[in-house]
Amino acid sequence: RKQVESALAMGTPCLIINNKEEELNVSYIAVDNKLGGRIAADYLTSLGHKKIATVTGNLNTQAGLHRFEGFQKYLKENNAGLPDEYIYKGDYSRRCAREATERFLSLPQRPSAIFACSDEMAFEVISVILEIRLKVPEDISVIGFDDNPACLYGPVALSTIRQPLFEMASQAVK
């Protein structure tokens, strides 16, 4: 934020990509991450899941915090609940997704679905589930966030919340 404020003070044209900025007089291009979190929760509950866990992104980032807030709020509003043991505060890395999934799978009441706040993490969640010979989505459903093209080539088709990064970049250049 300080960099943007400094650039604006010098009269440098600015555009923020993938971060909402409503306090400064600057244009931005971003997705509604809270809505994305809500969509993920709605999708999983519509499939009948009641025990849904999440691996968050870095909660110090706007995207990570907003995705988690939207997800959590939807579950609360729809009486689905989100117990503390079903929340793993992550950092978007595959390492944290692996740790989270191993923890979730060791619980006495393991979740029937996991929302990973990025496709990269979702891909790792799926890998851990498959390693212990469970099936996705038959045993545990997984949804990610980003619509990362690399995840098209995994062992299981990934359900994901689409973040149109290429379109956002194109609009930014224009």
Side-chain angles (χ1 to χ4, degrees), residues 110-121:
R110 78 172 180 230
S112 63
I114 300 173
F115 169 43
C117 290
S118 78
D119 286 351
E120 186 79 12
M121 291 193 304

Side-chain angles (χ1 to χ4, degrees), residues 36-136:
R38 292 181 65 82
I39 291 169
D42 176 57
Y43 176 72
L44 293 172
T45 58
S46 75
L47 294 175
H49 293 288
K50 297 187 183 340
K51 297 183 295 183
I52 305 170
T54 186
V55 185
T56 74
N58 184 334
L59 297 178
N60 291 322
T61 66
Q62 186 182 82
L65 181 62
H66 285 185
R67 290 173 191 182
F68 176 63
E69 286 176 345
F71 179 77
Q72 183 179 44
K73 186 175 180 184
Y74 180 91
L75 292 178
K76 185 176 182 179
E77 290 170 355
N78 291 277
N79 300 315
L82 183 61
D84 288 343
E85 63 268 20
Y86 284 1
I87 302 169
Y88 186 97
K89 294 178 181 172
D91 59 9
Y92 293 113
S93 73
R94 289 181 74 129
R95 176 198 46 78
C96 81
R98 176 165 287 276
E99 290 172 3
T101 308
E102 289 170 349
R103 191 181 90 192
F104 295 150
L105 296 177
S106 71
L107 292 170
Q109 291 288 316
R110 78 172 180 230
S112 63
I114 300 173
F115 169 43
C117 290
S118 78
D119 286 351
E120 186 79 12
M121 291 193 304
F123 198 60
E124 190 67 18
V125 168
I126 291 170
S127 293
V128 173
I129 292 168
L130 295 177
E131 285 170 12
I132 64 163
R133 306 244 191 271
L134 292 175
K135 295 179 181 174
V136 176

